[in-house]
Amino acid sequence: SPPPNSKGASEEDAEQLPSDEASVPVTRQEHAESTNEEAAANHDSDVQEAAQILASTSLNDGDSGDIGGADAIKDVSSGAPAPTKCSEVDALALLFSSFWSHVSGLIESRPDLPLHDAIAICASMLRLSLACNPQPAEPVDSVLEFVREQLHARDLSPGAHNPATSNQLLSLLLGPLRAYPNPLKVLELNNYGPLLESQAERTRKSVAVALLTAILQRNTTMTTEGEVAGIVRLCASLMSKAPEAQSAALSHMPISEMPYPGTPFDEDDVAEEQGLLARLVHLIRGPDVVTQLSLLTVARDAFSQGGDL
């Protein structure tokens, strides 16, 4: 017969298993997969929490009648199951639209609000929209358009932002790349490219590297001329130096107001960036030979316009 404490010993061994497994090194890919599983498991709770916040905000402001009626809000915010998935998504979209109108109005009514704080609020709203429903481009594009208007209203030269503002703008621009399963969806955002082009060279390069990395890791293929032209346009900062107009604007700024101090030329960084661009060409795949030739021609023309790095 087993010893009296055999059951306890087996339980102790079972309790030790997680610690033994934890001692095994976790690869970067395994960590990413576990993170994705956790994000998928928590998606429903995040959406429900967002719905409750949006509904309570709209009800407190007395605007529930303008966004589809109090009944639709109660169905989502009370935790009761929605009749259909489509109705729940539509309700969340209406609630976000109402909430965003209040937030944007608050920012516009506070001209004394620091720019980096205003952009931080916009970045949070953008992440909230992507958490509720990443499919429609209109809510995300409306946030990007509002940020462009705020930058224009402050009358700032392209890229002439302090480090705090530049960091918030970088977080804002990286949000869609992290949320979209298909990185090419950023091409549907009409204000994404113009907002990116108005940033400092360091921000534009960081976004371009993140975009290329996402495309390569997810093995996303480009099959139309619009997709190829759009991606190489967003990655133009990796092909040449900053535009002369932006460089001239920054050269007349006081050193204390420069967005970032000058950084030395790093050959390793340049080699990595050019390697990403070279690998991108292998993901250009047309349905036939003629289309493939036209797609490669678009990429070649874009690369040939690059100058000294």
Side-chain angles (χ1 to χ4, degrees):
S1 62
N5 62 346
S6 60
K7 182 177 181 181
S10 61
E11 292 178 351
E12 292 178 358
D13 294 339
E15 293 178 354
Q16 292 178 359
L17 285 178
S19 61
D20 295 336
E21 293 177 357
S23 62
V24 179
V26 179
T27 64
R28 214 178 261 182
Q29 181 178 359
E30 292 174 345
H31 177 70
E33 292 176 354
S34 63
T35 303
N36 292 337
E37 292 176 355
E38 293 176 0
N42 296 331
H43 175 72
D44 292 338
S45 60
D46 292 341
V47 170
Q48 188 64 39
E49 182 180 357
Q52 293 175 357
I53 296 174
L54 294 178
S56 61
T57 304
S58 300
L59 289 173
N60 291 336
D61 292 338
D63 291 340
S64 60
D66 295 334
I67 60 173
D71 294 338
I73 296 174
K74 290 179 181 178
D75 290 341
V76 178
S77 62
S78 63
T84 62
K85 185 66 175 178
C86 182
S87 63
E88 179 181 349
V89 171
D90 292 342
L92 287 173
L94 291 172
L95 290 170
F96 175 82
S97 177
S98 176
F99 192 25
W100 169 240
S101 65
H102 290 298
V103 172
S104 59
L106 177 62
I107 296 176
E108 290 178 336
S109 64
R110 289 284 306 276
D112 59 322
L113 185 68
L115 182 58
H116 64 271
D117 288 340
I119 296 176
I121 295 173
C122 294
S124 299
M125 291 298 301
L126 184 141
R127 289 193 295 270
L128 177 61
S129 173
L130 292 171
C132 291
N133 185 14
Q135 294 304 322
E138 291 79 8
V140 177
D141 205 37
S142 64
V143 176
L144 298 176
E145 182 181 10
F146 180 80
V147 172
R148 287 186 63 197
E149 293 173 352
Q150 287 297 304
L151 296 177
H152 181 73
R154 305 294 178 105
D155 195 23
L156 294 175
S157 301
H161 312 308
N162 58 40
T165 303
S166 296
N167 289 335
Q168 293 298 337
L169 286 167
L170 178 60
S171 176
L172 179 79
L173 292 166
L174 291 178
L177 296 179
R178 294 168 176 167
Y180 290 150
N182 185 355
L184 300 182
K185 190 172 176 61
V186 297
L187 299 177
E188 300 178 12
L189 305 174
N190 297 328
N191 292 279
Y192 191 88
L195 179 60
L196 176 62
E197 293 171 359
S198 65
Q199 303 310 306
E201 182 179 8
R202 177 173 177 174
T203 301
R204 291 186 289 114
K205 282 191 173 184
S206 298
V207 174
V209 170
L211 174 61
L212 291 176
T213 302
I215 292 175
L216 294 170
Q217 288 181 346
R218 300 166 194 173
N219 199 31
T220 306
T221 59
M222 294 162 286
T223 59
T224 66
E225 292 186 8
E227 293 175 346
V228 176
I231 293 301
V232 296
R233 183 172 63 251
L234 294 178
C235 300
S237 59
L238 303 181
M239 305 175 195
S240 61
K241 291 182 178 179
E244 296 181 0
Q246 179 173 326
S247 301
L250 294 176
S251 63
H252 290 85
M253 294 179 59
I255 296 179
S256 60
E257 299 180 4
M258 290 289 288
Y260 288 99
T263 55
F265 181 82
D266 193 328
E267 294 184 357
D268 293 337
D269 289 344
V270 173
E272 180 182 0
E273 295 165 359
Q274 299 307 303
L276 293 174
L277 285 173
R279 292 168 60 190
L280 179 71
V281 177
H282 297 280
L283 292 176
I284 299 176
R285 299 171 186 173
D288 52 64
V289 176
V290 176
T291 305
Q292 177 74 3
L293 177 60
S294 64
L295 298 181
L296 293 175
T297 302
V298 172
R300 183 201 61 185
D301 294 342
F303 294 154
S304 63
Q305 296 176 5
D308 297 334
L309 299 175

